Amino acid sequence: DGNLLDYDLQVTMQACCEEYGVPYALALAVADVESRFDPDAARSTNDYGLMQINQVNHGWLPEQGIDPVALADDLCDGASKPIQVLYLTAYGDPELAVMAYNCGPSGAQNLWAAGTYSTDHSRKVMDRFDYWTSVLED
């Protein structure tokens, strides 16, 4: 759709997805929606990089040996690992995992308690997930 992820970053993202068991199409969808594949993307909400890791996470990620603004760390340990370990495993559903990734676990829990199981953001990511799944199958 006009924006492309650099080939080396595609290779890195795919390897990270394989390592952590995250569907590659889901990681592509998150990066597509979050940053439009711009590794230098930054928002006024203090979200940075391809996967738009919020600055609130920049305090504890380095304690885990993860540099949240380094591209490989952003893709792997800063995004792919939490998506799988924290969210896909815990919630078992890609859209719920995307909601938890975007809103934080407590924010997502609050939405679910109120009966909300998708948001504009999660629907955008799931639409891109369907798109990237179809592209990768061709």
Side-chain angles (χ1 to χ4, degrees):
D1 288 355
N3 292 331
L4 299 175
L5 183 61
D6 176 87
Y7 178 77
D8 291 336
L9 292 176
Q10 290 178 45
V11 170
T12 299
M13 180 184 279
Q14 193 163 22
C16 295
C17 287
E18 288 174 13
E19 179 179 351
Y20 293 115
V22 173
Y24 181 48
L26 182 59
L28 285 170
V30 170
D32 191 354
V33 170
E34 293 286 354
S35 68
R36 298 293 293 147
F37 301 122
D38 179 0
D40 298 319
R43 290 198 181 125
S44 61
T45 54
N46 294 319
D47 300 313
Y48 301 94
L50 284 169
M51 305 299 276
Q52 291 293 282
I53 297 173
N54 191 276
Q55 189 174 16
V56 72
N57 297 306
H58 291 199
W60 67 271
L61 286 172
E63 294 170 5
Q64 308 301 312
I66 301 166
D67 179 354
V69 294
L71 287 176
D73 285 356
D74 176 35
L75 290 171
C76 292
D77 298 321
S80 296
K81 183 176 181 180
I83 288 172
Q84 173 58 30
V85 175
L86 299 176
Y87 307 135
L88 282 173
T89 300
Y91 308 120
D93 176 90
E95 188 158 8
L96 299 182
V98 166
M99 287 179 71
Y101 182 80
N102 181 249
C103 302
S106 61
Q109 291 286 344
N110 290 339
L111 289 169
W112 301 330
T116 301
Y117 293 95
S118 70
T119 62
D120 287 340
H121 180 269
S122 70
R123 286 187 293 277
K124 286 178 190 174
V125 172
M126 297 315 295
D127 285 346
R128 297 313 291 169
F129 178 51
D130 291 342
Y131 169 79
W132 285 112
T133 298
S134 71
V135 166
L136 295 170
E137 289 175 350
D138 289 342

